Amino acid sequence: MTPPVNGDNRAAVLHGPGDVRVERRPVPEPGPREVLVEIAAVGVCGSDVHYYEHGRIGSFVVEHPMVLGHESSGRVVALGAGASRHAVGDRVALEPGVPCGNCRECRSGRYNLCREVRFFATPPIDGAFANYVTIHEDFAFALPELVSDEAGALMEPLSVAVWACQKASVSAGDRVLVTGAGPIGLLAVQSARAFGATEITVTDVNPHRLALAERTGATQAINVAELPLEDTGVEADALIECSGHPASLQAGISSLRPAGTAVLVGMGPEEEGVVPLALIQNHELWLTGTFRYANTYPAAIALAANRRVDLESIITAHYGLDEAEAALRAGREDPTAVKVMVMPASRAGQT
Amino acid sequence: MTPPVNGDNRAAVLHGPGDVRVERRPVPEPGPREVLVEIAAVGVCGSDVHYYEHGRIGSFVVEHPMVLGHESSGRVVALGAGASRHAVGDRVALEPGVPCGNCRECRSGRYNLCREVRFFATPPIDGAFANYVTIHEDFAFALPELVSDEAGALMEPLSVAVWACQKASVSAGDRVLVTGAGPIGLLAVQSARAFGATEITVTDVNPHRLALAERTGATQAINVAELPLEDTGVEADALIECSGHPASLQAGISSLRPAGTAVLVGMGPEEEGVVPLALIQNHELWLTGTFRYANTYPAAIALAANRRVDLESIITAHYGLDEAEAALRAGREDPTAVKVMVMPASRAGQT
Amino acid sequence: MTPPVNGDNRAAVLHGPGDVRVERRPVPEPGPREVLVEIAAVGVCGSDVHYYEHGRIGSFVVEHPMVLGHESSGRVVALGAGASRHAVGDRVALEPGVPCGNCRECRSGRYNLCREVRFFATPPIDGAFANYVTIHEDFAFALPELVSDEAGALMEPLSVAVWACQKASVSAGDRVLVTGAGPIGLLAVQSARAFGATEITVTDVNPHRLALAERTGATQAINVAELPLEDTGVEADALIECSGHPASLQAGISSLRPAGTAVLVGMGPEEEGVVPLALIQNHELWLTGTFRYANTYPAAIALAANRRVDLESIITAHYGLDEAEAALRAGREDPTAVKVMVMPASRAGQT
Amino acid sequence: MTPPVNGDNRAAVLHGPGDVRVERRPVPEPGPREVLVEIAAVGVCGSDVHYYEHGRIGSFVVEHPMVLGHESSGRVVALGAGASRHAVGDRVALEPGVPCGNCRECRSGRYNLCREVRFFATPPIDGAFANYVTIHEDFAFALPELVSDEAGALMEPLSVAVWACQKASVSAGDRVLVTGAGPIGLLAVQSARAFGATEITVTDVNPHRLALAERTGATQAINVAELPLEDTGVEADALIECSGHPASLQAGISSLRPAGTAVLVGMGPEEEGVVPLALIQNHELWLTGTFRYANTYPAAIALAANRRVDLESIITAHYGLDEAEAALRAGREDPTAVKVMVMPASRAGQT
């Protein structure tokens, strides 16, 4: 390994709820078939914010200092032993979860359900709010020139949306209902359009987000604070539930055509929830949920490179690595914030 | 149409809750492409009992006198205009729901979800507790000699079980959990075995039914009054929920492997119910339900004719048509009763 | 039925190879649940030309005078008994094949494989080169204002393309190879794009058609008279074979990734053909073919109404009904001709 | 690693066409997460015979001495570093191909199509005609007591048959046609039955094999030397082609119902072959092929342990390791031979 890196690796480390510190850490050494990546852009995800605010998500508890951030892109700066897929200098998007590759789930193509997956910014694995990270070369995906660093980082949430569309079997001419217009909901709208959906209804209570959804592909935006979904007569082939609100889930399922599919993407407040079981039976509906994604990066990159999705449209602010804590707070403080980016390689402050 | 029928058509007519009367009715005339069938055997279904006891099932209300019974077989005795699929004398099983054939659901192969379906013993359509009924020739299926009249009638509940296995994609080597060992649950056990499942766990609180399940294909029978399913360590590829009990549904879903499928067959007491949403997401489970069945009769008959299922094993009593009311009461009065048959063409009483 | 029609019904009738005569015929009476449609636009299909030139297609022989044309749209001018889906005046696209609705194929959702289907311009059923035709109301689909009469007629070939994409499971980010850039190939390119394909390679030997393909969605157009497909390094997830050329089929299959799918749409010159069987095994490829389509009209109309396809782009000429024979000859005589329309309701000549 | 092995490792090594020598080799050391297995039983496969007779199969050429045999079972005798799935003493079946786990095919669950797979007895990888072999612990599958050593070895060809049934989506009540009643065809018959098929037609020209097929699940056996398949009126939902004969493939495809599936398992003599393309189109048939299998061992073992298949029924002879060459010749010399076993751990000669 040639060492073209300058040796200065900072990372935004979560020490406990509300306690993020920018610290110097050694530049990691890429292991066999790994690459060392200089991070260019990292998106702030709701899960990062949740760890920052609560120090845990369900049974995942931050017990030791951990670097946040799992939506990232960067530039390959060194290769580990046997790594041959990328050259130094390649721009790449990082798929942040590396599964074991051998277990029943991995062998069946469901590697997102691998119990031994090592996933960025999920305790105890460090994430990408840093200057340098290492990753298995097969989980770094080359970015075409047309895809910016920020868009490259957003291959991760776009993968969530693509995966949801795949689970819902969204196809040309479909009618899709997306409940919740946060970053994932907005990307679900764009993805549904890219999958060929021609009628895309989105619901939320935030008029900024509804307006943005309409500008980026939704054919109908409903503010459910003013008009209940039940009163709209919407019938959908697929529901992509991105709000985590129990009421949205129920109303959404009730809007499905016979044999339609509901996909849970947003996480609700409770382990359990109420669903219209009689309707699921009488109309033979399908209900499932997504946990991350599998095999989505190539499609996500192709959609971005071909302008079938517009990832920049959801970016509302950029922060430097030193401002990571401000970036984690931005969503709470600004109702117009959607996707906030941290740019570790940039000296620039908030834009 | 040659009239080989003797003109004496009796029917067991439900006039209101608890009020079934055996009455003479004209022998019906088969319409175009219909056949007239002399009914040999009719199974008593839980829905018949529910109509008998309550006069309604949900929004389906018996407002006018209605003949019960929809699990039936018999002998073709006359052909309507243009009917050519059967000959007079053929023994047939009757698929009791005739859909419109033109709507979106019908055209998509989901004819069980047709809104215009005319289904036996569902208001206002008369059923098969009668000497003679008519049906479209394409919904009468020839029975091989090896399949008895009673087994022919039970092609209907067997279809429910086959459909559930198809929805759950049960295949060779699968591990299937059947919650509830009533007639449908017992047939689900047998069907799962016929679909190649090698590990079939059944749960109930009735030891008679659990013992019968073990004799007919279950590899493990759990009395959940004594041992909660959660304590058994069962992991299943598919859940076929036949009890309608909310607790069974939740425990059953929690027993699924990642990416497993739960199929609701039993109807619960409420329109809505609680399910483990976080688990559905984290394990990407699939939940669906069945409403009757579609395209199952040929497979059901083939399974019966090839002894892959043993329908006689679940029959616990036979009644004459005059004893229809006693047949409707048998299930409540005898904990060992499973499937009770009405035999309109027989003079014999209870056996 | 109110008779708002003027009673003047002309039709272009094929009497034998090369013998088309425009004749007056009685305005047909719509039967139960049928509608009477005044035809506005009819596309000329290769099968029309084949019947015109040869009097037969395989085992389908024109033994009695027959009206050609099966890609049509028009205006509802009268309703048969019980027809309630449309109002007089509605603009509709006509799905030209009405299946029996009851057979095994129909019940399974594969109504395009119904043996009793009555299909326009397939002996002995008359087609739509006429002022008036009748059709079952459920096979007339309302057209939004945004969809022109010509585009409405082209819902039929678009359905062929949509069906091919569905068979090939084309989805977002896919790489699709379309061999043959005739009207169907061109619509397959557009459809693949509408289904989300991001890499669409098209092959042909006609530079006009290749250029048109590139203008309407192909990302790469290869003139295989100059550059064999094998030399291009193309790897595709799906092949949509629209040329009917044996060499294209073989080269196309050989371009598939492991587990890819080849769909035969173009009809070859022979009943049998050579395929790379060892490759199909070693790469576990899938090969299938399409016969018409099923359940595609709603999606096709939605794609047209939402500008996901541009049907006008392939129309190269319009003819009046009296010029039907010229329209049938246009393709042979002009290498730049793609889709030629007959406009029965228009007095205008060729445009 | 504790060394409970006696250090005496013999192997039957192919040096060239017709040249197999039993040689002493060092006992291999299990690597990280590998296990060392003392081989109990190895089935002789047609590919072993082909390498023995020709020194190559297509582009796979035996350039250096290679141990044959890939259908094997045995007993774990030592564990490599980090191996924890098995204990010393466990009886296991060996899945003979270990894929890379990271490539596109592996991640998609199609690890059988991995280009970097290391597969027993495929140049340059040694096979299992030996006393000891090593394998990744996740590709050794524990055998229940009910499954004999020989049956354990036959999990490999049974996997081929199970995979074919999965590709063909064989399900309860299906009608399956198996062309060719060699070892794979016979196991396809048994598998089809285990998957619920109720009508299983088998064809061959060898009366011994046809009789064996009938004893083990075929409902109809046709000697196509006497009666062409075309004359039998057989209609099948699925074809499993196990003969490699071009004529069988064509006749088999022609016997499929509309929308049926043909699966190529037997390898034909040529890279290319003729298929009825017009029929594939007009009936929308599906044609695919199998290359080994993926994720089949658990199901195969469950079927054997539950007596849904009878593997002993196809075993016609046993040989010691020193008699490996005789075992490789047995099939050619005896028309009644079906599956021949080599038993490395046994001193016994031919039985």
Side-chain angles (χ1 to χ4, degrees), chain A residues 22-63:
Chain A
V22 176
E23 302 174 349
R24 280 181 200 275
R25 291 194 164 191
V27 175
E29 287 280 328
R33 296 203 59 194
E34 287 191 334
V35 291
L36 179 66
V37 177
E38 183 183 11
I39 296 297
V42 198
V44 176
C45 171
S47 69
D48 296 313
V49 176
H50 202 281
Y51 279 123
Y52 170 67
E53 294 180 347
H54 302 283
R56 69 188 299 160
I57 295 179
S59 59
F60 291 101
V61 180
V62 179
E63 294 176 338

CSV table of all heavy atoms in Angstrom, one decimal, chain A residues 22-63:
chain,number,residue,atom,x,y,z
A,22,VAL,N,-15.3,16.1,17.8
A,22,VAL,CA,-14.4,15.8,16.7
A,22,VAL,C,-13.0,15.5,17.2
A,22,VAL,O,-12.4,16.3,17.9
A,22,VAL,CB,-14.4,17.0,15.7
A,22,VAL,CG1,-13.4,16.8,14.6
A,22,VAL,CG2,-15.8,17.3,15.2
A,23,GLU,N,-12.6,14.3,16.8
A,23,GLU,CA,-11.3,13.8,17.4
A,23,GLU,C,-10.4,13.4,16.3
A,23,GLU,O,-10.8,13.0,15.2
A,23,GLU,CB,-11.6,12.6,18.3
A,23,GLU,CG,-12.5,13.0,19.5
A,23,GLU,CD,-12.9,11.7,20.3
A,23,GLU,OE1,-12.6,10.6,19.8
A,23,GLU,OE2,-13.5,11.9,21.3
A,24,ARG,N,-9.1,13.4,16.6
A,24,ARG,CA,-8.1,12.8,15.6
A,24,ARG,C,-8.0,11.3,15.9
A,24,ARG,O,-8.0,10.9,17.0
A,24,ARG,CB,-6.7,13.5,15.8
A,24,ARG,CG,-6.6,14.8,15.1
A,24,ARG,CD,-5.3,15.5,15.2
A,24,ARG,NE,-5.5,16.9,15.0
A,24,ARG,CZ,-5.6,17.4,13.7
A,24,ARG,NH1,-5.3,16.6,12.7
A,24,ARG,NH2,-5.8,18.7,13.5
A,25,ARG,N,-8.0,10.6,14.8
A,25,ARG,CA,-7.8,9.1,14.9
A,25,ARG,C,-6.8,8.7,13.9
A,25,ARG,O,-6.6,9.3,12.9
A,25,ARG,CB,-9.1,8.4,14.7
A,25,ARG,CG,-10.2,8.7,15.8
A,25,ARG,CD,-11.3,7.7,15.6
A,25,ARG,NE,-12.1,7.6,16.8
A,25,ARG,CZ,-13.0,6.7,17.1
A,25,ARG,NH1,-13.2,5.7,16.1
A,25,ARG,NH2,-13.7,6.6,18.2
A,26,PRO,N,-6.1,7.6,14.1
A,26,PRO,CA,-5.2,7.1,13.1
A,26,PRO,C,-5.9,6.8,11.8
A,26,PRO,O,-7.1,6.4,11.8
A,26,PRO,CB,-4.6,5.8,13.7
A,26,PRO,CG,-5.1,5.8,15.1
A,26,PRO,CD,-6.2,6.7,15.3
A,27,VAL,N,-5.3,7.0,10.7
A,27,VAL,CA,-5.8,6.6,9.4
A,27,VAL,C,-5.9,5.1,9.4
A,27,VAL,O,-4.9,4.4,9.7
A,27,VAL,CB,-5.0,7.1,8.2
A,27,VAL,CG1,-5.5,6.5,6.9
A,27,VAL,CG2,-4.9,8.6,8.2
A,28,PRO,N,-7.1,4.5,9.1
A,28,PRO,CA,-7.2,3.0,9.2
A,28,PRO,C,-6.4,2.4,8.1
A,28,PRO,O,-6.2,3.0,7.0
A,28,PRO,CB,-8.7,2.8,9.1
A,28,PRO,CG,-9.3,4.0,8.4
A,28,PRO,CD,-8.4,5.1,8.8
A,29,GLU,N,-5.9,1.2,8.3
A,29,GLU,CA,-5.2,0.4,7.3
A,29,GLU,C,-6.2,-0.5,6.6
A,29,GLU,O,-7.0,-1.2,7.2
A,29,GLU,CB,-4.2,-0.5,8.0
A,29,GLU,CG,-3.0,0.2,8.5
A,29,GLU,CD,-2.0,0.5,7.4
A,29,GLU,OE1,-1.9,-0.3,6.4
A,29,GLU,OE2,-1.3,1.5,7.5
A,30,PRO,N,-6.3,-0.5,5.3
A,30,PRO,CA,-7.2,-1.4,4.6
A,30,PRO,C,-6.7,-2.8,4.7
A,30,PRO,O,-5.5,-3.1,4.5
A,30,PRO,CB,-7.2,-0.9,3.1
A,30,PRO,CG,-5.9,-0.2,3.0
A,30,PRO,CD,-5.5,0.4,4.3
A,31,GLY,N,-7.6,-3.7,5.1
A,31,GLY,CA,-7.3,-5.1,5.2
A,31,GLY,C,-7.3,-5.8,3.8
A,31,GLY,O,-7.5,-5.1,2.8
A,32,PRO,N,-7.2,-7.1,3.8
A,32,PRO,CA,-7.2,-7.8,2.5
A,32,PRO,C,-8.5,-7.5,1.8
A,32,PRO,O,-9.6,-7.6,2.3
A,32,PRO,CB,-7.2,-9.3,2.9
A,32,PRO,CG,-6.6,-9.3,4.3
A,32,PRO,CD,-7.0,-8.0,4.9
A,33,ARG,N,-8.4,-7.2,0.5
A,33,ARG,CA,-9.5,-6.8,-0.4
A,33,ARG,C,-10.3,-5.6,0.0
A,33,ARG,O,-11.3,-5.4,-0.5
A,33,ARG,CB,-10.4,-8.0,-0.7
A,33,ARG,CG,-9.6,-9.2,-1.4
A,33,ARG,CD,-10.6,-10.1,-2.1
A,33,ARG,NE,-11.4,-9.4,-3.1
A,33,ARG,CZ,-12.4,-9.9,-3.7
A,33,ARG,NH1,-12.8,-11.2,-3.4
A,33,ARG,NH2,-13.1,-9.3,-4.6
A,34,GLU,N,-9.7,-4.9,0.9
A,34,GLU,CA,-10.4,-3.6,1.3
A,34,GLU,C,-9.7,-2.4,0.6
A,34,GLU,O,-8.6,-2.5,0.1
A,34,GLU,CB,-10.3,-3.4,2.8
A,34,GLU,CG,-11.2,-4.3,3.6
A,34,GLU,CD,-11.3,-3.8,5.1
A,34,GLU,OE1,-10.3,-3.2,5.6
A,34,GLU,OE2,-12.3,-4.1,5.7
A,35,VAL,N,-10.5,-1.3,0.5
A,35,VAL,CA,-9.9,-0.1,0.0
A,35,VAL,C,-10.0,1.0,1.1
A,35,VAL,O,-10.9,0.9,2.0
A,35,VAL,CB,-10.7,0.4,-1.3
A,35,VAL,CG1,-10.4,-0.5,-2.4
A,35,VAL,CG2,-12.2,0.5,-1.0
A,36,LEU,N,-9.1,1.9,1.1
A,36,LEU,CA,-9.1,3.1,2.0
A,36,LEU,C,-9.8,4.2,1.2
A,36,LEU,O,-9.4,4.5,0.0
A,36,LEU,CB,-7.7,3.5,2.4
A,36,LEU,CG,-7.7,4.7,3.3
A,36,LEU,CD1,-8.3,4.4,4.7
A,36,LEU,CD2,-6.2,5.2,3.5
A,37,VAL,N,-10.8,4.8,1.7
A,37,VAL,CA,-11.6,5.8,1.0
A,37,VAL,C,-11.5,7.2,1.8
A,37,VAL,O,-11.7,7.2,3.0
A,37,VAL,CB,-13.0,5.4,0.9
A,37,VAL,CG1,-13.9,6.5,0.2
A,37,VAL,CG2,-13.1,4.1,0.1
A,38,GLU,N,-11.1,8.2,1.1
A,38,GLU,CA,-11.2,9.6,1.7
A,38,GLU,C,-12.6,10.1,1.5
A,38,GLU,O,-13.1,10.2,0.3
A,38,GLU,CB,-10.2,10.5,1.0
A,38,GLU,CG,-10.2,11.9,1.7
A,38,GLU,CD,-9.3,12.9,0.9
A,38,GLU,OE1,-8.8,12.6,-0.2
A,38,GLU,OE2,-9.1,14.0,1.5
A,39,ILE,N,-13.3,10.3,2.6
A,39,ILE,CA,-14.8,10.6,2.5
A,39,ILE,C,-15.0,12.0,1.9
A,39,ILE,O,-14.3,12.9,2.4
A,39,ILE,CB,-15.4,10.4,3.9
A,39,ILE,CG1,-15.3,9.0,4.3
A,39,ILE,CG2,-16.9,10.9,3.8
A,39,ILE,CD1,-16.1,8.0,3.5
A,40,ALA,N,-15.9,12.1,1.0
A,40,ALA,CA,-16.2,13.4,0.4
A,40,ALA,C,-17.5,14.0,1.0
A,40,ALA,O,-17.6,15.2,1.2
A,40,ALA,CB,-16.3,13.3,-1.1
A,41,ALA,N,-18.5,13.1,1.0
A,41,ALA,CA,-19.8,13.6,1.5
A,41,ALA,C,-20.5,12.5,2.3
A,41,ALA,O,-20.3,11.3,2.0
A,41,ALA,CB,-20.7,13.9,0.2
A,42,VAL,N,-21.2,12.9,3.3
A,42,VAL,CA,-22.0,12.0,4.1
A,42,VAL,C,-23.4,12.7,4.4
A,42,VAL,O,-23.4,13.8,4.8
A,42,VAL,CB,-21.3,11.8,5.5
A,42,VAL,CG1,-21.9,10.5,6.1
A,42,VAL,CG2,-19.8,11.7,5.4
A,43,GLY,N,-24.4,11.9,4.1
A,43,GLY,CA,-25.7,12.4,4.5
A,43,GLY,C,-26.0,12.1,5.9
A,43,GLY,O,-25.6,11.1,6.5
A,44,VAL,N,-26.8,13.0,6.5
A,44,VAL,CA,-27.3,12.8,7.9
A,44,VAL,C,-28.6,12.1,7.8
A,44,VAL,O,-29.6,12.6,7.2
A,44,VAL,CB,-27.4,14.2,8.7
A,44,VAL,CG1,-28.0,13.9,10.0
A,44,VAL,CG2,-26.1,14.9,8.7
A,45,CYS,N,-28.7,11.0,8.5
A,45,CYS,CA,-29.9,10.1,8.4
A,45,CYS,C,-30.6,10.3,9.8
A,45,CYS,O,-30.0,10.6,10.8
A,45,CYS,CB,-29.5,8.7,8.2
A,45,CYS,SG,-30.9,7.5,8.4
A,46,GLY,N,-31.9,10.0,9.7
A,46,GLY,CA,-32.7,10.0,10.9
A,46,GLY,C,-32.1,9.1,12.0
A,46,GLY,O,-32.2,9.4,13.2
A,47,SER,N,-31.5,8.0,11.6
A,47,SER,CA,-30.9,7.1,12.6
A,47,SER,C,-29.7,7.8,13.3
A,47,SER,O,-29.5,7.6,14.5
A,47,SER,CB,-30.6,5.8,12.0
A,47,SER,OG,-29.5,5.9,11.1
A,48,ASP,N,-28.9,8.5,12.5
A,48,ASP,CA,-27.8,9.3,13.2
A,48,ASP,C,-28.4,10.2,14.2
A,48,ASP,O,-27.8,10.3,15.3
A,48,ASP,CB,-27.1,10.1,12.1
A,48,ASP,CG,-26.4,9.2,11.1
A,48,ASP,OD1,-25.7,8.2,11.4
A,48,ASP,OD2,-26.5,9.5,9.9
A,49,VAL,N,-29.4,10.9,13.8
A,49,VAL,CA,-30.0,11.9,14.8
A,49,VAL,C,-30.6,11.2,16.0
A,49,VAL,O,-30.4,11.6,17.1
A,49,VAL,CB,-31.2,12.7,14.1
A,49,VAL,CG1,-31.9,13.6,15.1
A,49,VAL,CG2,-30.6,13.5,12.9
A,50,HIS,N,-31.2,10.0,15.8
A,50,HIS,CA,-31.7,9.3,16.9
A,50,HIS,C,-30.6,8.8,17.8
A,50,HIS,O,-30.8,8.9,19.1
A,50,HIS,CB,-32.5,8.1,16.4
A,50,HIS,CG,-33.6,7.6,17.3
A,50,HIS,ND1,-33.2,6.8,18.4
A,50,HIS,CD2,-34.9,7.8,17.4
A,50,HIS,CE1,-34.4,6.5,19.1
A,50,HIS,NE2,-35.4,7.1,18.5
A,51,TYR,N,-29.5,8.3,17.3
A,51,TYR,CA,-28.4,7.9,18.2
A,51,TYR,C,-27.9,9.1,18.9
A,51,TYR,O,-27.5,9.1,20.1
A,51,TYR,CB,-27.3,7.3,17.3
A,51,TYR,CG,-27.5,5.8,17.0
A,51,TYR,CD1,-27.5,5.4,15.7
A,51,TYR,CD2,-27.6,4.9,18.0
A,51,TYR,CE1,-27.6,4.0,15.4
A,51,TYR,CE2,-27.8,3.5,17.7
A,51,TYR,CZ,-27.8,3.1,16.4
A,51,TYR,OH,-28.0,1.8,16.1
A,52,TYR,N,-27.8,10.2,18.2
A,52,TYR,CA,-27.3,11.5,18.8
A,52,TYR,C,-28.2,11.9,20.0
A,52,TYR,O,-27.7,12.3,21.0
A,52,TYR,CB,-27.2,12.6,17.8
A,52,TYR,CG,-26.9,13.9,18.3
A,52,TYR,CD1,-25.6,14.2,18.9
A,52,TYR,CD2,-27.8,14.9,18.2
A,52,TYR,CE1,-25.4,15.5,19.4
A,52,TYR,CE2,-27.6,16.2,18.7
A,52,TYR,CZ,-26.4,16.5,19.3
A,52,TYR,OH,-26.1,17.7,19.8
A,53,GLU,N,-29.4,11.8,19.8
A,53,GLU,CA,-30.4,12.3,20.8
A,53,GLU,C,-30.6,11.3,21.9
A,53,GLU,O,-30.7,11.7,23.1
A,53,GLU,CB,-31.7,12.7,20.2
A,53,GLU,CG,-31.6,13.8,19.2
A,53,GLU,CD,-33.0,14.2,18.5
A,53,GLU,OE1,-33.9,13.4,18.6
A,53,GLU,OE2,-33.0,15.3,17.9
A,54,HIS,N,-30.6,10.0,21.6
A,54,HIS,CA,-31.0,9.0,22.6
A,54,HIS,C,-29.9,8.0,23.0
A,54,HIS,O,-30.0,7.3,24.0
A,54,HIS,CB,-32.2,8.2,22.1
A,54,HIS,CG,-33.4,9.1,21.8
A,54,HIS,ND1,-34.2,9.6,22.8
A,54,HIS,CD2,-33.8,9.6,20.6
A,54,HIS,CE1,-35.1,10.4,22.2
A,54,HIS,NE2,-34.9,10.4,20.9
A,55,GLY,N,-28.8,8.0,22.2
A,55,GLY,CA,-27.7,7.1,22.5
A,55,GLY,C,-28.1,5.6,22.2
A,55,GLY,O,-27.3,4.7,22.5
A,56,ARG,N,-29.2,5.4,21.6
A,56,ARG,CA,-29.6,4.0,21.2
A,56,ARG,C,-30.8,4.1,20.2
A,56,ARG,O,-31.5,5.1,20.1
A,56,ARG,CB,-30.1,3.3,22.5
A,56,ARG,CG,-31.4,3.9,23.0
A,56,ARG,CD,-31.7,3.3,24.4
A,56,ARG,NE,-31.9,1.8,24.2
A,56,ARG,CZ,-31.8,1.0,25.3
A,56,ARG,NH1,-31.6,1.5,26.5
A,56,ARG,NH2,-32.0,-0.3,25.1
A,57,ILE,N,-30.9,3.0,19.5
A,57,ILE,CA,-32.1,2.7,18.7
A,57,ILE,C,-32.6,1.3,19.1
A,57,ILE,O,-31.9,0.3,18.7
A,57,ILE,CB,-31.9,2.8,17.2
A,57,ILE,CG1,-31.5,4.3,16.8
A,57,ILE,CG2,-33.1,2.4,16.4
A,57,ILE,CD1,-31.2,4.4,15.3
A,58,GLY,N,-33.7,1.2,19.8
A,58,GLY,CA,-34.1,-0.1,20.3
A,58,GLY,C,-33.0,-0.8,21.0
A,58,GLY,O,-32.4,-0.3,22.0
A,59,SER,N,-32.7,-2.0,20.6
A,59,SER,CA,-31.7,-2.8,21.3
A,59,SER,C,-30.3,-2.5,20.9
A,59,SER,O,-29.3,-3.0,21.5
A,59,SER,CB,-32.0,-4.3,21.0
A,59,SER,OG,-31.9,-4.6,19.6
A,60,PHE,N,-30.1,-1.6,19.9
A,60,PHE,CA,-28.8,-1.2,19.6
A,60,PHE,C,-28.4,0.0,20.4
A,60,PHE,O,-28.9,1.1,20.3
A,60,PHE,CB,-28.7,-0.7,18.1
A,60,PHE,CG,-28.9,-1.9,17.1
A,60,PHE,CD1,-30.1,-2.1,16.5
A,60,PHE,CD2,-27.8,-2.7,16.9
A,60,PHE,CE1,-30.2,-3.1,15.6
A,60,PHE,CE2,-28.0,-3.8,16.0
A,60,PHE,CZ,-29.2,-4.0,15.3
A,61,VAL,N,-27.4,-0.2,21.4
A,61,VAL,CA,-27.0,0.8,22.3
A,61,VAL,C,-25.6,1.2,22.1
A,61,VAL,O,-24.7,0.4,21.9
A,61,VAL,CB,-27.2,0.3,23.8
A,61,VAL,CG1,-26.8,1.3,24.8
A,61,VAL,CG2,-28.6,-0.2,24.0
A,62,VAL,N,-25.3,2.5,22.1
A,62,VAL,CA,-24.0,3.0,21.9
A,62,VAL,C,-23.3,2.9,23.3
A,62,VAL,O,-23.5,3.8,24.1
A,62,VAL,CB,-24.0,4.5,21.4
A,62,VAL,CG1,-22.6,5.0,21.2
A,62,VAL,CG2,-24.7,4.6,20.1
A,63,GLU,N,-22.5,1.9,23.5
A,63,GLU,CA,-21.9,1.7,24.8
A,63,GLU,C,-20.5,2.2,24.8
A,63,GLU,O,-19.9,2.5,25.8
A,63,GLU,CB,-21.9,0.2,25.1
A,63,GLU,CG,-23.3,-0.3,25.3
A,63,GLU,CD,-23.4,-1.8,25.6
A,63,GLU,OE1,-22.4,-2.5,25.2
A,63,GLU,OE2,-24.4,-2.3,26.2
